[in-house]
């Protein structure tokens, strides 16, 4: 397993240290040969060198690595986030990582914010289209800075782009023995892209007769995620709606510190990152929760076909939470490093 590591900025650096410790521990205990290579791309690097990442970096990653782990990006010294845009969006667009994979599982009753449901009821996956929609970067300004200013941001959906993410959602459901896939859009108000999503979704759904397909407008989706999350198994939606709905998903999991994600192109090099940002105020303080980053390592193992360490990592986190061996934000009093050590100890017991 050749894994590129990009810690990034702020708490990205702190949580990546623990994630790499877990990656090395779980790989070693599972007999998986692992080579990691760390890259300095960050705000610091950008300020020192004027470069976000070198020319050809993504070609190098594609040729020489199986997966990429990124911490987080964002630094007040680079207010326009130029480096983060080049690195994060660069990876998503240049490597064509069209699947944003966001498992939403609440791993401990204490983290469950809902009065009406148990933690076990919060267990579904959101697939967010990751390369199109309003984030494709097309649009422009006219008469900028005047009273007549016009701004356009275009929402681009292609048949190919919609079909491949919808197909991925159904394929995942089938492979995991799930029986329900729900598509969320806003086709009542956004008629043109909505119509494309609708026709594509129902056409693909016809190919999966064993799976119940359903549709919700995205405003209803977020309401239902709070009202009755147990109804969802697999949700598929566009880039912007997925961005918003998955942050609500993080709250259902116990907060940003617990949320993991994959940016995936099936069969190709893919990138894995915790959902949270660089939380500059916590950088280097030992307060950052490393569990989202460590669960992200689980997704990386899963993507590369190593189910056993993937399951062991999640089980170790469940046990740590149960024992209160976790950081402050999820009810414990451990430092970032001590929480990472607690996971590795449990992995040794499970896989050793
Ligand atoms: N993918 C990314 O790299 C990414 C994602 C979101 C935000 N950002 C950037 O990060 C910077 C800070 O943004 P923000 O404050 O809006 O979001 P953030 O996720 O960094 O932090 C928001 C709050 O969530 C909590 N939090 C987040 N991660 C945590 C963790 N691991 N452990 C404990 N608590 C945690 C903290 O209370 C924190 O103040 C900005 O520059 C932003 O642009 C980057």
């Amino acid at each position: 397993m050749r894994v590129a590591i990009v810690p990034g900025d702020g708490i990205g650096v702190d949580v990546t240290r623990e994630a790499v410790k877990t990656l090395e521990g779980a790989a070693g205990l599972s007999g998986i040969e692992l080579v990691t290579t760390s890259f300095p791309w960050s705000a610091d690097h950008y300020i020192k060198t004027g470069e976000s990442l070198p020319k050809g970096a993504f070609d190098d990653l594609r040729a020489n690595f199986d997966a990429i782990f990124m911490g987080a990006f964002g630094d007040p010294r680079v207010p326009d986030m130029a480096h983060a845009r080049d690195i994060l969006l660069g990876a998503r667009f240049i490597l064509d990582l069209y699947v944003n994979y966001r498992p939403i599982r609440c791993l401990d009753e204490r983290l469950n914010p809902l009065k009406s449901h148990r933690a076990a009821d919060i267990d579904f996956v959101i697939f967010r289209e990751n390369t199109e929609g309003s984030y494709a970067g097309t649009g422009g300004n006219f008469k900028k800075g005047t009273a007549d200013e016009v701004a356009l941001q275009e929402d681009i959906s292609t048949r190919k782009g919609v079909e491949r993410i919808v197909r991925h959602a159904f394929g995942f459901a089938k492979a995991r023995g799930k029986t329900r896939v729900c598509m969320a859009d806003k086709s009542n108000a956004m008629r043109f892209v909505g119509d494309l999503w609708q026709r594509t979704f129902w056409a693909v759904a016809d190919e999966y007769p064993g799976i119940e397909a359903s549709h919700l407008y995205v405003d209803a989706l977020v309401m239902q995620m709070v009202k009755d999350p147990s109804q969802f198994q697999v949700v598929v939606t566009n880039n912007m709606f997925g961005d918003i709905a998955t942050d609500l998903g993080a709250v259902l999991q116990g907060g940003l510190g617990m949320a993991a994600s994959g940016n995936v192109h099936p069969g190709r090099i893919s990138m894995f990152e915790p959902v949270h940002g660089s939380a500059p105020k916590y950088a280097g303080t030992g307060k950052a929760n490393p569990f989202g980053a460590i669960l992200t390592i689980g997704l990386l193992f899963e993507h590369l076909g190593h189910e056993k360490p993937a399951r062991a990592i999640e089980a170790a986190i469940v046990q740590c939470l149960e024992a209160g061996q976790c950081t402050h934000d999820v009810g414990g009093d451990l430092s970032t490093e001590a929480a990472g050590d607690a996971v590795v100890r449990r992995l040794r017991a499970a896989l050793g």
Side-chain angles (χ1 to χ4, degrees):
M1 244 167 82
R2 301 160 305 167
V3 182
I5 309 285
V6 190
D9 304 321
I11 63 164
V13 176
D14 307 341
V15 299
T16 298
R17 206 173 290 126
E18 304 314 312
V20 171
K21 207 153 75 182
T22 313
L23 172 66
E24 290 173 348
L29 290 162
S30 309
I32 299 166
E33 204 179 312
L34 169 75
V35 180
T36 59
T37 307
S38 204
F39 292 90
W41 310 328
S42 60
D44 255 352
H45 182 76
Y46 180 70
I47 291 164
K48 276 187 205 139
T49 64
E51 166 188 273
S52 310
L53 69 184
K55 231 179 158 160
F58 289 114
D59 293 332
D60 172 37
L61 291 171
R62 215 187 331 242
N64 298 308
F65 293 90
D66 300 307
I68 309 164
F69 177 91
M70 291 195 184
F73 298 90
D75 185 306
R77 292 171 301 166
V78 188
D80 65 355
M81 294 278 285
H83 69 302
R85 214 172 29 246
D86 292 347
I87 300 165
L88 272 179
L89 296 185
R92 287 181 189 174
F93 286 98
I94 296 170
L95 299 176
D96 196 28
L97 307 177
Y98 65 91
V99 178
N100 190 278
Y101 173 36
R102 275 284 287 110
I104 294 169
R105 293 190 65 195
C106 187
L107 298 179
D108 190 277
E109 208 53 66
R110 278 182 302 113
L111 304 185
N112 174 10
L114 302 180
K115 285 184 186 159
S116 57
H117 285 78
R118 315 253 327 139
D121 294 326
I122 303 169
D123 182 3
F124 61 103
V125 172
I126 297 184
F127 288 111
R128 159 187 169 193
E129 201 294 321
N130 216 19
T131 53
E132 301 192 338
S134 340
Y135 297 2
T138 48
N141 298 91
F142 181 53
K143 297 189 178 178
K144 191 171 176 177
T146 74
D148 297 324
E149 177 163 354
V150 178
L152 281 179
Q153 191 80 45
E154 284 162 348
D155 189 331
I156 295 183
S157 285
T158 65
R159 172 74 196 207
K160 176 184 150 198
V162 178
E163 187 169 331
R164 64 184 183 172
I165 188 72
V166 167
R167 205 171 277 291
H168 186 83
F170 278 98
F172 175 91
K174 190 172 176 196
R176 300 296 176 98
K178 308 282 182 196
T179 54
R180 296 194 294 274
V181 175
C182 175
M183 187 271 278
D185 66 9
K186 196 66 189 156
S187 50
N188 51 345
M190 300 175 73
R191 280 176 34 226
F192 310 113
V193 290
D195 176 53
L196 176 58
W197 273 81
Q198 285 287 334
R199 281 183 289 112
T200 309
F201 177 71
W202 293 110
V204 174
D206 278 347
E207 298 172 26
Y208 292 85
I211 295 173
E212 185 194 324
S214 64
H215 167 258
L216 284 173
Y217 296 124
V218 68
D219 38 353
L221 170 76
V222 289
M223 181 181 72
Q224 291 297 336
M225 278 170 63
V226 173
K227 212 170 162 193
D228 179 15
S230 70
Q231 69 187 285
F232 298 114
Q233 292 183 344
V234 177
V235 173
V236 61
T237 189
N238 75 12
N239 207 338
M240 181 164 71
F241 298 151
D243 191 3
I244 298 166
T246 54
D247 261 27
L248 174 60
V251 173
L252 296 177
Q253 293 174 268
L256 280 168
M258 291 300 300
S261 81
N263 297 271
V264 172
H265 188 124
R268 288 201 203 160
I269 183 169
S270 296
M271 187 269 272
F272 298 82
E273 53 171 344
V275 170
H276 61 77
S278 60
K281 69 176 179 196
Y282 287 162
T285 64
K287 287 191 176 148
N289 181 355
F291 286 180
I294 293 173
L295 288 165
T296 299
I297 294 294
L299 300 187
L300 189 155
F301 273 116
E302 183 187 303
H303 177 72
L304 295 179
H306 300 297
E307 280 293 325
K308 198 172 168 203
R311 298 285 77 82
I313 285 173
E314 193 176 86
I317 299 253
V318 169
Q319 290 163 9
C320 286
L321 289 167
E322 232 169 54
Q325 292 173 334
C326 47
T327 48
H328 183 260
D329 59 309
V330 283
D333 59 5
L334 295 189
S335 67
T336 308
E337 185 182 0
D341 288 341
V343 174
V344 172
R345 268 199 306 278
R346 288 179 188 276
L347 278 177
R348 260 190 228 119
L351 297 171

